[in-house]
């Protein structure tokens, strides 16, 4: 009798956990691209960076269809590059989704992702030469999971740092923990376990931005598709609704999207905690205004302000990684900087990271 009850309990809990495979991200009825607050002519595009297409088991058209359903605007491809590879995906629009061709190169324990690649790159290059070869093609170099690099010198010339990665967060946990959490809890609760503040990567990022302008973003990595009694977790449809990188650009095309990433006109949102259609973090002093990724000089009346699309449990403003201001149960936070530094925003809901902004560089 006890055994039968145990089996029935497990079956019931499994049904509860697996009956809602998608996170409860509340998308708008249709994709509406919002204007960037405070910056006329700019728009807020949401997308995914570091997607290895070959390991997904899908072609580009199939991925585009999933992305369209999830209201994704762009995807940066990043299959692992083997010597002599020339297939970096098809750049441009597929089924109304903008794809940026690219590949991932193994470097010093982690990877350098080359975005907007078109030609093969010689093997066995030093990290600096690899980044130079990416730049020679008009591409951008992204350091994936910087804490895994053997040395910070390996990514010192990168244009951007991937401070969060879905795949890395998954691998940081034991398979047993992942399996039982998927079995007994719903998708939102399962994904909550992946939404851990990337302390080590953020510390490395803050160290780097104390002396250079480097863009921050989040990456996806390969989907895991963990099977749990007939249901799957870690699928592309789930991850598309979990976390996105936003780029603030004048239009959705390859050149302006790459330029937005290069300049750090971007932020990260964990949308399962609340859909983010637009977010603002800007500096203003008189008639001068600067967005995320830009520089501005200390001047009388200089203020930094953030505006969220909905209340956060907590908003924190950091200067070179150290908190200098905060607000609870708020949609806005304003601060008057007294000294130079890289200032950025972290917003939280339910104790989990909701929004990570790129810095504004006060000089």
């Amino acid at each position: 009798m006890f055994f039968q009850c145990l089996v029935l309990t497990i079956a019931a809990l499994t049904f509860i956990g697996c009956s809602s495979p998608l996170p409860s991200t509340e998308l708008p009825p249709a994709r509406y691209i919002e204007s960037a607050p405070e910056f006329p002519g700019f728009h807020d595009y949401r997308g995914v960076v570091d997607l290895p297409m070959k390991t997904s088991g899908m072609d580009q058209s199939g991925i585009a269809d999933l992305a369209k359903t999830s209201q994704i605007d762009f995807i940066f491809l990043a299959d692992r590059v083997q010597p002599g590879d020339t297939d970096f995906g098809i750049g441009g629009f597929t089924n109304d989704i903008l794809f940026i061709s690219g590949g991932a190169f193994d470097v010093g324990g982690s990877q350098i992702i080359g975005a907007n690649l078109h030609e093969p790159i010689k093997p066995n290059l030093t990290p600096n030469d690899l980044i130079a070869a990416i730049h020679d093609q008009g591409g951008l170099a992204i350091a994936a999971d910087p804490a895994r690099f053997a040395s910070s010198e390996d990514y010192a010339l990168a244009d951007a740092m991937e401070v969060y990665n879905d795949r890395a967060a998954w691998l940081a946990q034991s398979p047993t923990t992942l399996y039982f959490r998927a079995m007994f809890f719903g998708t939102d609760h399962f994904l909550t376990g992946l939404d851990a503040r990337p302390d080590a990567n953020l510390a490395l990022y803050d160290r780097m931005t104390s002396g250079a302008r480097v863009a921050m973003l989040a990456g996806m990595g390969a989907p895991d598709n963990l099977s749990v009694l007939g249901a799957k977790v870690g699928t592309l449809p789930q991850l598309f609704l979990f976390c996105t990188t936003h780029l603030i650009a004048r239009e959705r095309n390859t050149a302006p999207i790459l330029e937005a990433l290069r300049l750090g006109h971007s932020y990260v949102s964990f949308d399962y905690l609340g859909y983010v259609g637009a977010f603002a973090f800007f500096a203003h002093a008189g008639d001068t205004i600067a967005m995320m990724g830009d520089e501005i000089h200390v001047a009388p009346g200089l203020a930094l302000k953030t505006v969220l699309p909905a209340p956060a449990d907590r908003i924190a403003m950091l200067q070179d990684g150290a908190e200098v201001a905060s607000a609870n149960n708020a949609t806005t936070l304003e601060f008057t900087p007294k000294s130079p530094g890289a200032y950025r925003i972290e917003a939280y809901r339910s104790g989990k990271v909701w929004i990570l902004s790129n810095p504004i560089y006060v000089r």
Side-chain angles (χ1 to χ4, degrees):
M1 184 68 179
F2 172 78
F3 179 76
Q4 289 177 325
C5 290
L6 180 61
V7 170
L8 289 172
T9 300
I10 291 175
L13 289 171
T14 300
F15 176 79
I16 292 170
C18 300
S19 60
S20 300
L22 292 179
S24 59
T25 305
E26 295 185 2
L27 296 174
R31 180 66 181 124
Y32 173 72
I33 298 172
E34 297 194 34
S35 297
E38 305 295 331
F39 294 92
F42 285 86
H43 305 280
D44 190 318
Y45 298 104
R46 59 194 303 268
V48 169
V49 178
D50 186 3
L51 174 58
M53 181 168 62
K54 295 173 184 176
T55 57
S56 73
M58 302 181 68
D59 61 16
Q60 196 160 311
S61 178
I63 289 175
D65 288 341
L66 289 179
K68 193 169 185 178
T69 300
S70 302
Q71 300 187 20
I72 296 294
D73 299 315
F74 62 84
I75 293 175
F76 282 66
L77 297 172
D79 280 305
R80 176 174 286 179
V81 176
Q82 303 296 334
D85 274 355
T86 58
D87 181 8
F88 302 113
I90 302 171
F93 286 92
T94 299
N95 297 352
D96 202 37
I97 304 300
L98 176 64
F99 284 84
I100 307 296
S101 58
F105 300 81
D106 293 331
V107 173
S110 193
Q111 292 182 325
I112 295 290
I113 297 168
N116 198 37
L117 298 183
H118 309 285
E119 303 292 337
I121 289 179
K122 291 191 299 183
N124 304 318
L125 296 176
T126 66
N128 286 350
D129 287 342
L130 170 61
I131 292 173
I134 293 169
H135 288 164
D136 287 344
Q137 295 192 30
L140 297 179
I142 302 167
D145 202 358
R148 291 174 50 209
F149 281 91
S151 168
S152 60
E153 294 299 316
D154 291 340
Y155 59 84
L157 299 180
D159 303 287
M161 290 175 65
E162 190 181 279
V163 298
Y164 177 85
N165 181 278
D166 293 333
R167 175 69 173 163
W170 182 288
L171 294 176
Q173 303 179 54
S174 74
T176 302
T177 297
L178 290 167
Y179 188 89
F180 279 101
R181 199 165 70 237
M183 178 182 290
F184 291 109
F185 298 100
T187 304
D188 280 1
H189 186 92
F190 179 86
L191 293 174
T192 294
L194 301 181
D195 182 6
R197 185 183 187 274
D199 295 339
N201 284 340
L202 284 173
L204 291 170
Y205 179 77
D206 289 326
R207 188 181 308 164
M208 195 165 182
T209 54
S210 66
R213 292 170 63 183
V214 184
M216 174 203 293
L217 51 82
M220 176 175 287
D224 286 274
N225 294 314
L226 174 65
S227 294
V228 183
L229 299 178
K232 288 185 179 291
V233 291
T235 66
L236 276 181
Q238 291 170 345
L239 296 178
F240 280 164
L241 294 172
F242 173 57
C243 175
T244 50
T245 292
H246 296 244
L247 294 172
I248 311 302
R250 290 191 179 276
E251 62 177 307
R252 186 168 61 116
N253 221 321
T254 300
I257 286 292
L258 288 171
E259 181 73 354
L261 177 57
R262 185 184 69 81
L263 294 173
H265 293 171
S266 60
Y267 65 94
V268 172
S269 65
F270 290 84
D271 300 283
Y272 81 106
L273 291 172
Y275 172 81
V276 179
F279 160 83
F281 177 45
F282 58 96
H284 58 91
D287 294 332
T288 302
I289 188 168
M291 73 165 71
M292 294 172 284
D294 289 345
E295 292 184 344
I296 194 167
H297 291 276
V298 175
L302 174 64
L304 304 174
K305 185 174 182 179
T306 188
V307 181
L308 280 62
D313 294 342
R314 187 169 188 274
I315 307 172
M317 187 179 298
L318 295 86
Q319 176 189 9
D320 299 330
E323 186 175 309
V324 292
S326 65
N328 295 326
N329 301 314
T331 57
T332 63
L333 175 63
E334 191 161 358
F335 178 73
T336 301
K338 302 298 184 184
S339 58
Y343 292 82
R344 60 181 182 83
I345 293 294
E346 296 183 5
Y348 292 83
R349 279 183 164 181
S350 302
K352 295 292 184 177
V353 178
W354 180 31
I355 297 171
L356 293 171
S357 83
N358 264 259
I360 293 172
Y361 301 89
V362 177
R363 304 305 193 196

